[in-house]
Amino acid sequence: MDDELSTVPISISSGYALHKDQTLCAELLASVKAAAPLQIIRSKISGAGTGLSVTNNVDFGQELFRSRPVVNCVEDGYQHLVCDYCYVYKDSKLNSSGRIRTAEDTKLDVKACNACHACYYCSKTCQQKAWKLYHKLECAMFLKVPTISPRGRVLYRILNLHKQKLFSPDQWRSLRGLTSHTTEYLRSTISGDVIGFATHAIENTKTSLSLKEVLAVYCSILTNCLSIYQADGRMLGTSLDIVASLINHSCDPNTFVVFEGGELRVRPIRKISAGEEITQCYTDIDMDVLIRRSVLKSEYFFHCCCARCKSQMQSHQKLFPERIKQVAQSQQQLLQITNEAVKERNVDIFESQASTITTAAFPDGQWPEDLAPWPSSRIRLASIHQAHGRRIEALKYALKGQLLLEHRSGDRWTRRLFSLVQYFRDFLMHQTICRDTDFPTEAQMKDVMYGYLHVLKTYAGKTFGEKTRYAQSILWYYDDYVNGGSAPERINRAFARRFNQAQAKLLVWAGVEQNRAIALT
Ligand SMILES: C[S@@+](CC[C@H](N)C(=O)[O-])C[C@H]1O[C@@H](n2cnc3c(N)ncnc32)[C@H](O)[C@@H]1O
């Protein structure tokens, strides 16, 4: 095996410049439904290889393109909840129009494949389609090896499809042309696992591909796979799509990827100009440059030099030049205690350790409130306060977290704004009394909530697409609130003035600077 690996040629290990093969690029682009003409280009980002761009302007609110990925696989723990073919989610609270499900809606259920019990389907039709397309090739094998990670299952599916000659030569060539970082993986700490997994995959699928080739395909999956995030933020699986794989990273991206069922959609989060390269964020957009760069280096093998990283790094060097390493370490520890607190549903786990961690980085105890992961930790901890009925704390944490986030666009920001609005509504519905003298009146709280709901409605439609189930669910929520008589009749100048005053008061109470206020759109 070592002999075989020592001869892995670089051309196999690192993919090839797909943009140089324009015939293949044309084939690839013909396979997706795009609103504006796309182009596969040599990336404008230094060292990034191939990239994707648009030749026309694309507005915020338009869909860029949609595609049926080469392979999708359901997430671990979700197999018995999700249809392996259409990705309908059995426990979804919404019906197809975005309304909360009622007894009148058709009941959703998924049933296991009788033979392997590894894949579930919502209907005979889905099961038959899956069987024909891929499941007949893997069913017996899943009986033998039932516990494979989603990325592993993507590899098995690809090897089976290749074995049955179900990839066209162009499809296979483009799949093999994706960046794989095989060399980097084979030099990394997980090389043993990668080689072991590829070896088992060869034994189990009886593929005719060599170990070198299977390694390249597997590393390509590790580099290019996307998570199947639905608009509501639920992660249902892992997917490999060739055209979406060509989107390079930026920490200030112009698109995001979302799935409707098993179909992938790339949507702008602002206006994109003709000729601009399409980018998405590979990591948590709300994290700090120190965390983002470290994740990108370890998982995607590059050092991010985007404008946002550069400017954040410059500001860190100005504010705490000698403490950058300590801050990075404290950020990791804060993330860890936030995860523990959320898992145990206990805020004290966070509160009892946070000040020791933050003072290790800032001995004066002044961890900047907008320095990650502080804002997102607050938002996550708000849900625990809420679960324990502590509505004032929940509202304060969610509000501060949301307003202190640096990045104010895209799917995640929109989802979080929806949660914030729900904290407001819950607060008001339970007639919660906050005795702080500077707390806004109930009428002012209603104005702020309605203003945020209005921003959310506009923003969700543009971000996810007005007709999507998620945006529709926000519309239902909006209508329900308005029809309940709690909202002013119209968003007009008088309302805008009241909203601004009420929000200003709320920000003073929460200890948030006024320049963080959300503008009424
Ligand atoms: C999903 S692929 C993107 C397509 C890739 N550029 C290609 O040529 O196939 C991810 C890889 O592209 C490169 N890449 C993406 N964004 C980058 C960036 N901002 N700077 C440098 N390299 C980047 C890295 O090698 C990364 O592992």
Side-chain angles (χ1 to χ4, degrees):
M1 187 167 73
D2 282 346
D3 272 358
E4 194 183 345
L5 288 181
S6 66
T7 59
V8 173
I10 292 299
S11 62
I12 284 186
S13 58
S14 52
Y16 56 84
L18 267 177
H19 59 275
K20 291 192 179 152
D21 186 341
Q22 280 301 317
T23 319
L24 185 57
C25 290
E27 287 281 331
L28 274 177
L29 294 178
S31 70
V32 301
K33 279 188 222 152
L38 299 170
Q39 231 183 346
I40 296 174
I41 53 162
R42 182 200 168 109
S43 174
K44 295 169 185 172
I45 305 167
S46 164
T50 301
L52 199 62
S53 77
V54 268
T55 55
N56 287 359
N57 289 345
V58 181
D59 282 332
F60 176 39
Q62 256 183 298
E63 181 178 288
L64 197 58
F65 72 88
R66 60 176 68 181
S67 167
R68 282 241 154 244
V70 177
V71 173
N72 284 340
C73 279
V74 175
E75 191 55 26
D76 275 347
Y78 275 84
Q79 284 97 333
H80 61 297
L81 297 171
V82 175
C83 173
D84 196 84
Y85 183 76
C86 74
Y87 282 73
V88 74
Y89 175 53
K90 175 179 168 248
D91 287 351
S92 175
K93 291 199 173 59
L94 305 178
N95 72 13
S96 56
S97 72
R99 205 189 234 296
I100 302 278
R101 298 183 69 81
T102 63
E104 280 148 36
D105 289 306
T106 341
K107 204 170 169 327
L108 291 179
D109 202 6
V110 290
K111 290 209 174 72
C113 162
N114 273 338
C116 69
H117 295 273
C119 297
Y120 286 66
Y121 302 97
C122 67
S123 65
K124 274 266 161 263
T125 317
C126 278
Q127 183 164 17
Q128 280 161 359
K129 283 184 180 166
W131 181 260
K132 217 166 131 195
L133 273 176
Y134 56 84
H135 195 55
K136 67 178 176 204
L137 312 172
E138 64 188 15
C139 186
M141 193 191 65
F142 280 162
L143 261 178
K144 274 199 296 179
V145 273
T147 52
I148 317 172
S149 70
R151 287 168 173 207
R153 268 179 276 132
V154 172
L155 175 67
Y156 276 53
R157 280 196 177 154
I158 289 181
L159 296 182
N160 282 329
L161 291 170
H162 174 261
K163 192 171 138 192
Q164 301 298 322
K165 302 196 175 13
L166 293 174
F167 286 118
S168 70
D170 280 348
Q171 256 183 329
W172 186 245
R173 216 148 49 91
S174 47
L175 206 146
R176 293 293 312 280
L178 296 177
T179 297
S180 70
H181 291 301
T182 314
T183 313
E184 288 85 344
Y185 273 112
L186 293 182
R187 285 188 194 133
S188 76
T189 50
I190 62 161
S191 67
D193 292 344
V194 172
I195 296 171
F197 191 82
T199 312
H200 278 123
I202 294 173
E203 283 165 17
N204 290 326
T205 59
K206 311 266 181 293
T207 174
S208 59
L209 294 173
S210 68
L211 178 61
K212 281 186 294 193
E213 288 169 311
V214 173
L215 275 170
V217 175
Y218 187 40
C219 293
S220 173
I221 292 168
L222 299 180
T223 304
N224 295 285
C225 259
L226 291 167
S227 295
I228 301 183
Y229 274 109
Q230 307 288 305
D232 63 4
R234 196 175 291 279
M235 208 258 262
L236 295 184
T238 297
S239 171
L240 184 71
D241 182 85
I242 310 266
V243 179
S245 293
L246 300 177
I247 305 178
N248 285 317
H249 163 88
S250 166
C251 298
D252 184 15
N254 51 21
T255 68
F256 74 101
V257 176
V258 65
F259 282 75
E260 280 270 302
E263 193 178 59
L264 171 150
R265 292 169 186 202
V266 177
R267 297 196 58 90
I269 55 178
R270 57 175 161 79
K271 184 179 172 192
I272 307 177
S273 305
E276 204 180 321
E277 177 158 352
I278 298 167
T279 53
Q280 58 162 324
C281 185
Y282 292 179
T283 177
D284 185 342
I285 205 160
D286 296 321
M287 285 302 127
D288 180 61
V289 53
L290 301 173
I291 298 178
R292 295 195 312 268
R293 276 188 168 167
S294 128
V295 172
L296 292 168
K297 186 76 195 162
S298 64
E299 292 182 17
Y300 296 94
F301 306 103
F302 71 91
H303 180 74
C304 187
C305 292
C306 73
R308 182 170 170 224
C309 278
K310 281 187 187 159
S311 107
Q312 263 187 352
M313 211 54 212
Q314 270 169 8
S315 126
H316 286 4
Q317 266 148 3
K318 219 157 94 194
L319 291 174
F320 42 86
E322 282 108 37
R323 276 174 280 148
I324 289 188
K325 259 200 179 148
Q326 181 55 56
V327 170
Q329 199 181 328
S330 296
Q331 286 177 322
Q332 295 294 354
Q333 291 169 338
L334 285 172
L335 276 179
Q336 218 172 327
I337 60 168
T338 310
N339 289 341
E340 274 171 43
V342 170
K343 191 165 157 232
E344 301 297 327
R345 307 213 58 69
N346 181 356
V347 181
D348 293 343
I349 294 178
F350 180 87
E351 302 292 2
S352 60
Q353 301 172 63
S355 86
T356 317
I357 294 172
T358 52
T359 34
F362 294 94
D364 57 0
Q366 296 297 307
W367 180 282
E369 291 216 293
D370 55 355
L371 179 61
W374 209 242
S376 6
S377 289
R378 275 221 169 81
I379 292 174
R380 296 180 65 201
L381 297 173
S383 67
I384 310 177
H385 280 306
Q386 182 78 355
H388 291 286
R390 297 188 291 264
R391 295 194 181 86
I392 301 173
E393 287 87 345
L395 181 75
K396 195 175 214 171
Y397 271 58
L399 179 74
K400 272 189 107 154
Q402 183 82 15
L403 297 179
L404 290 170
L405 285 173
E406 182 204 359
H407 208 271
R408 287 188 173 196
S409 58
D411 51 332
R412 182 178 279 230
W413 193 79
T414 313
R415 276 196 294 272
R416 286 178 159 170
L417 185 58
F418 193 15
S419 304
L420 179 59
V421 164
Q422 288 167 313
Y423 285 123
F424 268 85
R425 196 168 181 190
D426 190 71
F427 185 96
L428 289 163
M429 260 173 33
H430 284 88
Q431 301 187 322
T432 316
I433 293 170
C434 175
R435 301 202 185 281
D436 296 342
T437 47
D438 54 353
F439 195 72
T441 61
E442 187 186 338
Q444 287 178 314
M445 287 295 284
K446 281 187 176 167
D447 282 344
V448 180
M449 162 170 175
Y450 184 55
Y452 285 177
L453 185 53
H454 178 76
V455 173
L456 171 70
K457 184 178 79 145
T458 316
Y459 209 77
K462 288 196 167 189
T463 304
F464 295 101
E466 270 159 18
K467 297 265 176 320
T468 55
R469 209 156 63 120
Y470 188 67
Q472 288 291 321
S473 75
I474 289 171
L475 268 185
W476 284 116
Y477 188 90
Y478 182 90
D479 289 346
D480 185 45
Y481 185 69
V482 173
N483 295 338
S486 306
E489 274 167 28
R490 276 191 300 139
I491 299 280
N492 53 21
R493 270 207 201 151
F495 174 77
R497 218 172 305 121
R498 283 207 325 265
F499 167 79
N500 288 335
Q501 277 169 5
Q503 184 180 213
K505 189 162 183 196
L506 189 64
L507 263 58
V508 171
W509 168 77
V512 179
E513 286 180 23
Q514 295 296 328
N515 61 5
R516 301 279 184 170
I518 293 178
L520 202 58
T521 41

